[in-house]
């Protein structure tokens, strides 16, 4: 997960709409079905998808009234907590 990317995507969601990101995720998920993709390409697509889901999660927290910085920190703490387990 890359925090700068999640921050940028969260701002995009605030300016536009989360539907754009959801549709992009669907498109990327469909691309993963290509049998000719290399492992490195699948890794990049997977990283993009996970960052987009992260941004959606942060944007959802912000919509619930949590300040942006706190929402980002809470998200990253959950990510780091899941890695430690």
């Amino acid at each position: 997960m890359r925090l700068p990317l999640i921050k940028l995507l969260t701002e995009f969601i605030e300016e536009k709409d989360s539907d754009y990101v959801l549709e992009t995720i669907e498109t990327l998920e469909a691309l993963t079905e290509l049998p000719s993709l290399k492992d490195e390409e699948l890794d990049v697509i997977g990283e993009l998808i996970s960052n987009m889901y992260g941004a959606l999660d942060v944007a959802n927290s912000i919509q619930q009234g949590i300040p942006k910085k706190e929402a980002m920190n809470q998200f990253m703490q959950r990510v780091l907590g899941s890695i430690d387990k």
Side-chain angles (χ1 to χ4, degrees):
M1 296 254 167
R2 297 200 36 147
L3 194 57
L5 184 55
I6 292 172
K7 183 178 178 183
L8 178 85
L9 288 167
T10 301
E11 291 170 2
F12 178 85
I13 292 168
E14 289 174 344
E15 291 173 15
K16 306 283 184 183
D17 194 296
S18 62
D19 288 341
Y20 289 103
V21 175
L22 288 169
E23 290 171 1
T24 302
I25 290 170
E26 289 177 19
T27 303
L28 290 171
E29 287 175 343
L31 286 175
T32 63
E33 299 300 319
L34 277 171
S36 61
L37 284 179
K38 298 175 185 168
D39 287 342
E40 299 84 27
E41 294 167 327
L42 283 172
D43 290 343
V44 170
I45 292 171
E47 184 69 21
L48 287 170
I49 290 170
S50 67
N51 282 300
M52 288 180 187
Y53 275 123
L56 288 168
D57 187 61
V58 171
N60 186 40
S61 295
I62 292 169
Q63 288 177 348
Q64 293 177 2
I66 298 173
K68 185 187 292 187
K69 185 175 182 179
E70 186 178 334
M72 296 282 260
N73 286 336
Q74 286 177 359
F75 174 76
M76 289 310 291
Q77 286 174 352
R78 283 195 314 270
V79 168
L80 292 174
S82 69
I83 293 172
D84 290 338
K85 293 181 180 180

